[in-house]
Amino acid sequence: MDALSLTFAALADPTRRAILARLALGEATVGELAAPFDLRLPTVSKHLKVLQRAGLVSQSRKAQWRPCQLEAAPLKDIAQWAEAFRASWERQFSQLDTYLDELQREPVARATGRGKRHDK
Amino acid sequence: MDALSLTFAALADPTRRAILARLALGEATVGELAAPFDLRLPTVSKHLKVLQRAGLVSQSRKAQWRPCQLEAAPLKDIAQWAEAFRASWERQFSQLDTYLDELQREPVARATGRGKRHDK
DNA sequence: CGCATACTTAGCCAATCGGCTAATTAGCCA
DNA sequence: TGGCTAATTAGCCGATTGGCTAAGTATGCG
């Protein structure tokens, strides 16, 4: 699978996004990451493996602990991918503004499609 | 499922991302969207339904055609979500720069962990 | 050494996914 | 009306996902 798909798939789970948010504050062990969730350790371990496959997390070793670290590079990639659509959403938002402006002037006529802008 | 998860899940497929890229150029019918792919129409129809569930695409009706339109708002949301990690990736990139600078000065010592920066 | 702690691996399960075919719905035109 | 085109719906299939339990691995400590 391509890198972008792996990253998006990894982010399509609230548990995994919460783990990333926690890691943005600094290194944490698997147990520390698991604590906030009502999930067994192996489940969290599996989530971490998904994040590692996407290159979003790396793990080192300190005695019997395996501290995890955020690897933010793929997040930059998806931010850039989404940014390519900026023109689209800005155009749509300005259209929405225009629509709301028209609605302000002639509420019913615009909303129902009956009548015209200047049907004096 | 929450909106962000739905959006990320929808984006975790190259076919669906290609469909969005096409729609960024303007409206298109289902058949037009299917053309570039080696996929049957029902498969593309299914992809479109995933995109609609995520609020990324809307469909209207024109005779027997169902022109699709990009709805970019959710893309803005994920761009914003990712942007929250900007500090993380910028810090990591600058660390990489620093590492490469040190490597430039003392290649072997830094790379193997033996020796020190100023082991005079 | 023996045992506790921290975590991973293996494997089960139900649910979802991404592809397909076949059948159905919707609208146009002769 | 009947038929053509566009697209959806229904349903099958094998693969993946997200949860679990039970068992295995790795490290530190008395």
Side-chain angles (χ1 to χ4, degrees):
Chain A
M1 202 157 27
D2 62 299
L4 218 46
S5 296
L6 269 176
T7 306
F8 278 126
L11 297 177
D13 182 291
T15 303
R16 288 195 291 261
R17 290 198 303 276
I19 289 176
L20 292 183
R22 166 63 189 80
L23 288 179
L25 306 177
E27 227 179 50
T29 68
V30 179
E32 286 165 357
L33 290 174
F37 305 105
D38 189 22
L39 293 175
R40 305 287 164 184
L41 215 60
T43 306
V44 174
S45 204
K46 230 181 201 178
H47 278 306
L48 284 171
K49 196 130 48 190
V50 174
L51 290 168
Q52 287 180 66
R53 269 216 330 147
L56 284 161
V57 159
S58 66
Q59 241 172 328
S60 46
R61 185 172 259 291
K62 224 171 252 177
Q64 66 263 58
W65 291 274
R66 272 153 229 233
C68 300
Q69 245 200 290
L70 176 65
E71 298 292 336
L75 295 178
K76 186 182 182 186
D77 295 339
I78 73 128
Q80 272 175 187
W81 180 89
E83 208 55 50
F85 290 86
R86 169 177 289 278
S88 295
W89 75 62
E90 280 181 349
R91 184 169 35 75
Q92 292 186 332
F93 282 137
S94 74
Q95 280 174 8
L96 179 60
D97 286 347
T98 306
Y99 171 75
L100 291 176
D101 282 357
E102 290 179 8
L103 211 59
Q104 192 82 6
R105 277 182 221 112
E106 308 177 46
V108 181
R110 255 325 264 104
T112 62
R114 281 181 270 106
K116 294 189 179 173
R117 199 96 80 84
H118 298 292
D119 56 346
K120 48 181 172 215
Chain B
M1 199 157 27
D2 62 298
L4 217 46
S5 296
L6 269 177
T7 307
F8 278 127
L11 297 178
D13 182 291
T15 302
R16 288 195 291 263
R17 290 198 304 277
I19 288 177
L20 292 182
R22 166 63 188 80
L23 287 178
L25 306 178
E27 229 180 46
T29 68
V30 179
E32 285 165 356
L33 290 174
F37 306 104
D38 191 21
L39 292 176
R40 304 286 165 184
L41 216 59
T43 306
V44 174
S45 203
K46 229 182 204 179
H47 279 306
L48 284 172
K49 192 125 51 189
V50 174
L51 290 168
Q52 287 181 66
R53 269 217 330 147
L56 284 161
V57 160
S58 66
Q59 242 171 326
S60 46
R61 187 172 257 291
K62 224 172 254 179
Q64 65 264 58
W65 290 273
R66 274 153 230 230
C68 300
Q69 245 200 291
L70 176 66
E71 297 292 336
L75 294 178
K76 186 182 182 184
D77 295 339
I78 74 128
Q80 271 173 188
W81 180 89
E83 208 55 49
F85 290 87
R86 169 176 290 278
S88 296
W89 74 62
E90 281 182 349
R91 184 169 35 74
Q92 292 186 331
F93 282 138
S94 73
Q95 279 173 9
L96 179 59
D97 285 348
T98 305
Y99 172 75
L100 290 177
D101 282 357
E102 288 179 10
L103 212 56
Q104 193 82 4
R105 275 181 224 114
E106 308 178 48
V108 182
R110 255 323 265 106
T112 61
R114 281 182 268 107
K116 294 188 177 173
R117 198 98 77 88
H118 300 292
D119 56 348
K120 50 185 170 206

